[in-house]
Every structure is written in structure tokens, then in C-alpha cells.
Amino acid sequence: MPKPPLSARFTIWVLVALLATPIAVTLVYSLAASWGAHILPSGFSLQWYAQLWSDSRFLAAFGRSLLVCLAALVLSLALILPALFVVFYYFPKLKGLMNLLVLMPFAVPPVVSSVGLLQLYAGGPLPLAGTPWILVLCYFTLSLPFMYRALANNLEAINLHDLMDAAHLLGAGTTRAFLQVVLPNIRNGLLSALFLAFSFLFGEFVFANLLVGTRFETLQVYLYSQRTTSGHFTSAMVMSYFLFIGLATWVALRLQSRRA
């Protein structure tokens, strides 16, 4: 592999520095005992993290966010995997329509969508407004574009018809071929789709705040409610969120490399 020129390496380091500086400053501020008029903090302490992780309200909001995101991902995975297989294997002419349909959740601004959902489910046979179910169903639709695009790219790359024909020649039925031949070939794309959707949903605020608010307080709603408290405390929250997403990214990359 040729050694990159100095200009290329300089560009990469500048980009890394620009991306890392806000994170590093937030980390230092979250560890500072106090940081007022001086350039450097007066001391370092873990008191903000201890205060954060001993707060039962924060832990409950964190757990609710995890629960809602995982429920939405399970629901979207149960729908999108069979639908993708049917479209790509039996009805390939419908790919364009599917691309259009899965992008529709992003065609309407979140505030407009939230108002429509509140009016639709405020009463009637399904009074879901203010309950976590409306948030799960909303997150389900938001996760579909991430799931569909990542899995569709994998299905287009593995020659689905050739794999299925080979499995049929060896005596496997369609369901068995899908489970034992197709799924192992798209598992890296599946992990990528799950992580992309999870990282987006876990940080989503607008729908969570408008649809359920403090009645089912998620992590982002809790973070918004603490905006007037100590900046050190909110910085500790932001860094905890960032470290959790970073850990999830590391786990996803390890799983992909191990199964590659």
C-alpha cells in the first residue's frame, strides 16, 4: 500500500481535531469541580457523574429510551426482513415503490407529524396519545428507512436469485433457504441497519417530547428538562450518552469483524 502524502495526512489530522475538540472540551467540563473565569478548571472530580448515575429519574429515563428503541427495532425487523425478501425475490419491479414508501416518514416535518398523530390517536378505538405505544409505533416508522436501505444494499450484492436457486437444487425449501442461506450472508448489513436505526432513535427528541413528554420521560426529554441546572451536570449526561453510543459502536464492529 503506498504511503499517503503529507497533505493527505495533514487533512485527516485536521478533521480528527475538529471532530474531537468539542468532545474533549465537554469531557473536561464534566470532570471539572468548578470552571469559572480562569482558562483552566480549578480541579477535577467525579461528583457530577456520581450525582447523575445515582439519580433514579435519570436511570428510569435511560431504561425507557432503551425499551422504546428496542421494541421499535424488533417490530421493524419483523416486518422489513420478510417484506424485503418477498420484494427482491418475487416482485423486483416493486423496488422503486418500496424506496418511495420507506422515505415518506422523512417527507413530513416531525412537528407536523406529531400534531397529526396526536389528533388521530387522542380518542376513538385506539386512544394511544400520551402512552409509550404511540412512541414505539412512531419510532417503528422512523427506523424503516435505515433498515430498508442497509438490507436492500446487501440483498443486491449477494445475487439473491442465484443463492435461492442453489439452495432449492440442494433440496431446501424457500423458508429454510432464507433462514440458513440468505440471512447469514446479510448479517453484517443487518447489524449495520440495527445500529444506525438504534443510534438515531436513542437520540430522538422531537417526537418523544411532543407525543409523550414527561408522562413517559425518555433520556432526551430528561436532558432537555435539566438544561437550566449545572452545566457540569448536563455535560456529564452528554458524555454518558456519547460513551454509551461509542460502546455500542465498538460492540457492533467487533461482532461484524468476528463474523466476517
Side-chain angles (χ1 to χ4, degrees):
M1 180 180 296
K3 187 177 181 180
L6 181 61
S7 59
R9 285 179 287 171
F10 176 76
T11 302
I12 294 299
W13 281 112
V14 169
L15 178 61
V16 171
L18 289 174
L19 294 175
T21 298
I23 300 173
V25 173
T26 305
L27 176 62
V28 173
Y29 195 71
S30 69
L31 294 172
S34 63
W35 196 350
H38 301 285
I39 297 178
L40 297 177
S42 59
F44 294 97
S45 173
L46 293 175
Q47 61 173 326
W48 308 112
Y49 287 93
Q51 180 180 343
L52 175 67
W53 287 97
S54 61
D55 186 357
S56 59
R57 184 181 167 192
F58 165 76
L59 296 176
F62 192 90
R64 293 189 194 103
S65 292
L66 279 178
L67 180 63
V68 169
C69 291
L70 292 177
L73 290 179
V74 170
L75 186 59
S76 62
L77 189 62
L79 174 68
I80 203 66
L81 263 180
L84 269 173
F85 176 74
V86 169
V87 169
F88 275 73
Y89 189 60
Y90 293 106
F91 307 104
K93 293 183 179 180
L94 295 179
K95 293 180 184 179
L97 178 61
M98 287 290 293
N99 282 324
L100 178 63
L101 291 176
V102 296
L103 290 176
M104 289 189 68
F106 293 108
V108 182
V111 174
V112 178
S113 299
S114 300
V115 173
L117 289 172
L118 288 174
Q119 291 181 346
L120 183 62
Y121 294 106
L126 291 174
L128 301 179
T131 69
W133 298 110
I134 192 171
L135 195 58
V136 170
L137 295 176
C138 178
Y139 280 5
F140 158 71
T141 60
L142 292 178
S143 65
L144 287 180
F146 300 97
M147 302 286 289
Y148 176 85
R149 193 65 269 158
L151 293 174
N153 290 338
N154 270 245
L155 287 174
E156 289 175 348
I158 64 172
N159 295 320
L160 177 61
H161 284 85
D162 292 342
L163 282 178
M164 293 298 296
D165 292 342
H168 288 156
L169 286 174
L170 294 174
T174 300
T175 303
R176 184 178 179 184
F178 172 71
L179 295 175
Q180 297 185 359
V181 178
V182 176
L183 277 184
N185 279 278
I186 63 171
R187 58 190 173 191
N188 284 341
L190 182 59
L191 285 174
S192 299
L194 288 172
F195 174 72
L196 284 172
F198 175 79
S199 59
F200 174 78
L201 296 179
F202 198 71
E204 200 283 323
F205 167 73
V206 177
F207 285 106
N209 187 47
L210 293 177
L211 294 179
V212 292
T214 56
R215 287 168 291 185
F216 190 79
E217 191 176 48
T218 61
L219 182 61
Q220 296 302 321
V221 176
Y222 173 80
L223 179 60
Y224 178 75
S225 69
Q226 300 297 313
R227 68 191 185 280
T228 57
T229 61
S230 170
H232 302 283
F233 184 74
T234 53
S235 295
M237 276 192 289
V238 171
M239 287 309 304
S240 297
Y241 168 77
F242 177 79
L243 292 174
F244 175 75
I245 294 297
L247 178 62
T249 304
W250 179 79
V251 171
L253 292 175
R254 287 297 301 269
L255 288 174
Q256 285 185 328
S257 62
R258 184 176 300 176
R259 296 179 179 183

